[in-house]
């Protein structure tokens, strides 16, 4: 039993490594710290992921709470770790997740089926990513890169225009519904 404790105390300073009474208390305390810190490390990592996702959300002018609420409504079960990784490594994919979140919040606000937002087409397809997000094909020419980048930019601008049009239609629909409710 003592050998087991002294083996765990290996590397401690002073009498803590070789005197049984001191080593026993030191090992006991170190195991308590290890137990507590394993859980604290998980908490700190979750806080870090939330901060990263929040920063990425703010770039797309949406708050973290609204973003997560929209994901919850849409039924998207991506955890915070993957969202932070997506925001850092693939911003365009994260943009599509933000779009999904905002669409599902709008659909839920209209009183429609909240899972219908998952069926809405995204503003671009996966093969429209520019070269900086395409690690497999590094031997592309500058012309191909410019073509792909312009394609993505066009798709994004078209998506934003479509979203503005949809927002205007949505607001008109809400106004009509509110007027009909007031009349009734």
């Amino acid at each position: 039993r003592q050998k087991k404790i002294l083996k765990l105390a290996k590397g401690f300073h002073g009498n803590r490594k070789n005197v049984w009474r001191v080593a026993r208390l030191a090992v006991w305390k170190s195991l308590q710290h290890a137990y507590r810190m394993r859980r604290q490390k998980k908490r700190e990592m979750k806080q870090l992921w939330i901060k990263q996702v929040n920063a990425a959300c703010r770039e797309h002018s949406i708050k973290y709470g609204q973003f997560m609420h929209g994901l919850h409504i849409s039924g998207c079960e991506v955890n915070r770790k993957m969202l932070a990784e997506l925001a850092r490594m693939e911003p365009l994919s994260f943009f599509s997740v933000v779009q999904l979140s905002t669409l599902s919040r709008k659909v839920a606000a209209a009183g429609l089926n909240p899972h219908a937002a998952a069926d809405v087409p995204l503003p671009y397809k996966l093969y429209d990513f520019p070269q900086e997000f395409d690690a497999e094909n590094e031997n592309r020419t500058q012309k191909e890169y410019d073509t792909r980048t312009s394609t993505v930019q066009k798709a994004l601008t078209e998506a934003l225009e479509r979203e503005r049009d949809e927002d205007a239609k949505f607001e008109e629909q809400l106004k009509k519904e509110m007027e009909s409710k007031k009349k009734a």
Side-chain angles (χ1 to χ4, degrees), residues 73-175:
I73 290 172
S74 69
C76 180
E77 296 181 2
V78 181
N79 61 14
R80 290 168 181 85
K81 179 181 179 181
M82 289 298 111
L83 287 171
E85 190 74 19
L86 203 62
R88 192 168 35 117
M89 301 300 283
E90 296 190 24
L92 292 177
S93 297
F94 185 77
F95 175 69
S96 67
V97 176
V98 170
Q99 291 293 338
L100 174 68
S101 174
T102 51
L103 284 174
S104 59
R105 282 180 45 237
K106 288 178 184 177
V107 167
L112 302 173
N113 181 7
H115 297 290
D119 301 330
V120 176
L122 296 175
Y124 56 87
K125 295 184 174 75
L126 290 175
Y127 55 81
D128 288 335
F129 282 144
Q131 186 181 8
E132 62 191 64
F133 301 107
D134 192 3
E136 296 176 7
N137 304 319
E138 296 180 3
N139 300 327
R140 302 226 167 163
T141 63
Q142 184 64 33
K143 184 178 179 182
E144 290 175 352
Y145 172 73
D146 292 340
T147 305
R148 289 168 57 129
T149 305
S150 64
T151 305
V152 171
Q153 288 174 347
K154 286 178 186 176
L156 289 175
T157 53
E158 289 173 5
L160 291 174
E161 289 173 5
R162 266 188 274 134
E163 186 178 348
R164 287 186 194 121
D165 294 340
E166 290 172 5
D167 285 344
K169 291 178 185 176
F170 181 72
E171 288 175 7
E172 290 175 14
Q173 182 183 6
L174 282 177
K175 287 179 184 177

Side-chain angles (χ1 to χ4, degrees), residues 26-43:
V27 167
W28 183 63
K29 196 60 146 174
S30 69
L31 292 175
Q32 283 182 334
H33 289 306
Y35 179 85
R36 186 182 71 238
M37 294 308 286
R38 281 195 299 270
R39 280 137 190 85
Q40 187 173 344
K41 182 170 65 170
K42 292 174 179 64
R43 279 195 301 269

Side-chain angles (χ1 to χ4, degrees), residues 10-73:
K10 186 177 180 180
F12 289 6
H13 291 286
N15 288 342
R16 297 166 64 107
K17 69 176 171 277
N18 56 9
V19 175
W20 160 245
R21 284 184 179 182
V22 180
R24 180 174 50 94
L25 295 174
V27 167
W28 183 63
K29 196 60 146 174
S30 69
L31 292 175
Q32 283 182 334
H33 289 306
Y35 179 85
R36 186 182 71 238
M37 294 308 286
R38 281 195 299 270
R39 280 137 190 85
Q40 187 173 344
K41 182 170 65 170
K42 292 174 179 64
R43 279 195 301 269
E44 289 172 356
M45 289 307 295
K46 186 176 179 181
Q47 289 174 354
L48 176 67
W49 297 327
I50 289 172
K51 288 176 186 175
Q52 290 173 347
V53 172
N54 186 21
C57 288
R58 298 291 175 142
E59 289 178 5
H60 298 294
S61 65
I62 185 172
K63 295 179 182 176
Y64 173 79
Q66 295 171 344
F67 171 71
M68 292 304 286
H69 178 63
L71 284 184
H72 178 71
I73 290 172

